[in-house]
Amino acid sequence: MNAGRLYLIPTLIDPDAPEVVPGYVHTITAQLDLFFVEQERTARRYLRATGYTRDFAEVDLVRLDKDSTDMEIDAMCRLILEGRDAGMLSEAGVPCIADPGAVLVASAHERGIKVIPLTGPSSLFLALMASGLEGQRFSFHGYLPVQQQERRKAIKELEQRAQREKATQLFIETPYRNQAMFNDLLQTCAPDTLLCVAIGISGPSEMIRTQSIQSWKQSHFAPEKIPAVYLLGRR
Amino acid sequence: MNAGRLYLIPTLIDPDAPEVVPGYVHTITAQLDLFFVEQERTARRYLRATGYTRDFAEVDLVRLDKDSTDMEIDAMCRLILEGRDAGMLSEAGVPCIADPGAVLVASAHERGIKVIPLTGPSSLFLALMASGLEGQRFSFHGYLPVQQQERRKAIKELEQRAQREKATQLFIETPYRNQAMFNDLLQTCAPDTLLCVAIGISGPSEMIRTQSIQSWKQSHFAPEKIPAVYLLGRR
């Protein structure tokens, strides 16, 4: 019996913009009845919204998140090795990038399972493309520290690194801390450092704006409580 | 008169897999008659292959590459400020990421032009998703030095950085140097360092494989002369 394949399935960043996921993703998804998902409920909703018609009573949705144990990961691989193709979905955008899933993919590689990534929206990449900042060298850091003093120190280090390495520095923040992050950026960075704020990516309220810290200070901008990507760069 | 918008248009990585670019990209492209392109000939071929029907005699294709002057960039922005929507295409994948274009986007931001990134395939992101390596922290470095001694030094530094920062290190190489790069990786890195080699991404001959340097040495793999993404990580 041949082993199945593991498809990495992108989902929507903005529920009002379903067109950003290519049709071939739905064609592949339609053939699967085994999914590893971050949350069952939202996975079902996404699958239905994109035309998936199977009866969920006959579909296996297996939870995969940062708390999944080695034993659970092993069981997921066994299902594929027994011959079933599987799909992996995370909550928004592409699995495994600023999202869980890499542990299962790593195990799949160890067992010789073929891993097939499907194209879809990534808020990090869309933000980087549209920022106008250096795209030949960049680093992504996930979330910065929550405590203000440590966060400011991290911001300062990233600003120095943007200059020293001539590399764009990307990070994210939970929506309810956007305003605190934005304030810290304005108060910590040099006036001529370039900051891109990207919110509502791929949706109708998308805003991607790059300007100097000095210009941001004058713009009286207040980031709404929606997911944001921040990018720091230097000319 | 309202200013136009600047759309960042993804193109195919593999010409045999047109389905990876979402249909909404072609719908937007169909409405445009002004494009900033890395090469006119391949831009025309891509547009035709994806259903673009306008007569090219009535379409403006303006060359935009790493040699574009400030004056040329300024003239491109003026066309948009005069009210025309424009599209930017690079040679493979998404513009501005490991590809030219960021200079025009930066100028667009300075002039208040709205920049809209469209979803499509990026070999870097597809490789990172499918590598099983750390996707919460990563750095992309473009091309490493060409001289063997410097390249080996760079590889060693990236390996140390992968360990120290627990961050995946991505880089690319021109196809005809793949074998030299691969040899240097095997001879420079520690046996338990993880290397992902991703070639032919999104196409029928896609191969994305992650294993330890030790396992690569035993596999007698020879990278073909096709575009590759390399990723270094540590457990």
Side-chain angles (χ1 to χ4, degrees), chain B:
Chain B
M1 188 167 49
N2 290 324
R5 287 157 292 187
L6 177 59
Y7 291 96
L8 308 183
I9 301 174
T11 56
L12 303 178
I13 301 176
D14 188 302
D16 294 331
E19 69 276 11
V20 300
V21 173
Y24 89 115
V25 172
H26 310 318
T27 307
I28 290 170
T29 305
Q31 297 162 10
L32 304 176
D33 60 4
L34 169 61
F35 296 95
F36 306 120
V37 305
E38 198 174 344
Q39 283 192 41
E40 290 91 336
R41 200 168 53 91
T42 47
R44 272 191 218 102
R45 198 190 302 144
Y46 166 74
L47 289 169
R48 279 289 181 254
T50 56
Y52 187 79
T53 54
R54 293 195 191 215
D55 181 352
F56 279 122
E58 293 160 16
V59 172
D60 292 314
L61 295 184
V62 181
R63 192 164 182 129
L64 167 69
D65 59 23
K66 62 181 174 44
D67 300 321
S68 296
T69 64
D70 289 352
M71 204 181 289
E72 286 167 341
I73 297 289
D74 196 56
M76 294 176 204
C77 284
R78 271 206 312 278
L79 290 171
I80 301 174
L81 288 170
E82 283 165 7
R84 290 175 77 181
D85 286 341
M88 182 197 291
L89 308 178
S90 60
E91 282 299 288
V94 299
C96 304
I97 300 184
D99 252 338
V103 176
L104 175 57
V105 175
S107 291
H109 279 290
E110 281 172 17
R111 289 162 174 81
I113 293 168
K114 195 168 169 65
V115 178
I116 302 173
L118 304 180
T119 293
S122 156
S123 57
L124 297 181
F125 258 40
L126 291 166
L128 181 59
M129 282 165 72
S131 69
L133 299 173
E134 178 62 71
Q136 316 289 327
R137 279 175 302 282
F138 55 87
S139 291
F140 172 64
H141 303 278
Y143 293 94
L144 303 194
V146 173
Q147 290 300 320
Q148 188 178 53
Q149 204 179 337
E150 287 174 55
R151 185 170 57 216
R152 289 185 169 199
K153 187 160 164 274
I155 289 170
K156 203 72 209 164
E157 282 169 7
L158 295 187
E159 185 189 31
Q160 288 165 359
R161 196 160 153 173
Q163 175 137 35
R164 192 175 61 241
E165 301 177 6
K166 299 194 196 319
T168 303
Q169 308 294 316
L170 295 90
F171 47 98
I172 49 180
E173 188 48 282
T174 51
Y176 70 90
R177 274 199 288 265
N178 271 345
Q179 190 63 53
M181 169 65 88
F182 185 70
N183 293 346
D184 282 346
L185 283 162
L186 296 201
Q187 284 161 40
T188 310
C189 294
D192 61 341
T193 289
L194 293 170
L195 169 65
C196 177
V197 180
I199 57 178
I201 290 178
S202 90
S205 60
E206 176 177 276
M207 188 219 75
I208 303 174
R209 199 193 297 175
T210 301
Q211 53 186 359
S212 68
I213 293 291
Q214 185 163 21
S215 298
W216 278 114
K217 280 182 179 168
Q218 288 157 4
S219 71
H220 304 292
F221 173 76
E224 315 241 350
K225 290 182 180 171
I226 49 179
V229 179
Y230 298 89
L231 303 90
L232 280 180
R234 299 284 303 196
R235 245 177 261 279

Side-chain angles (χ1 to χ4, degrees), chain A residues 169-207:
Chain A
Q169 307 295 316
L170 295 91
F171 47 98
I172 50 180
E173 188 48 283
T174 51
Y176 70 91
R177 274 198 287 265
N178 271 346
Q179 190 63 54
M181 170 63 89
F182 186 69
N183 294 346
D184 283 346
L185 283 163
L186 297 201
Q187 283 161 39
T188 309
C189 294
D192 61 340
T193 288
L194 292 170
L195 169 65
C196 178
V197 181
I199 57 178
I201 289 178
S202 90
S205 60
E206 176 177 275
M207 190 218 75

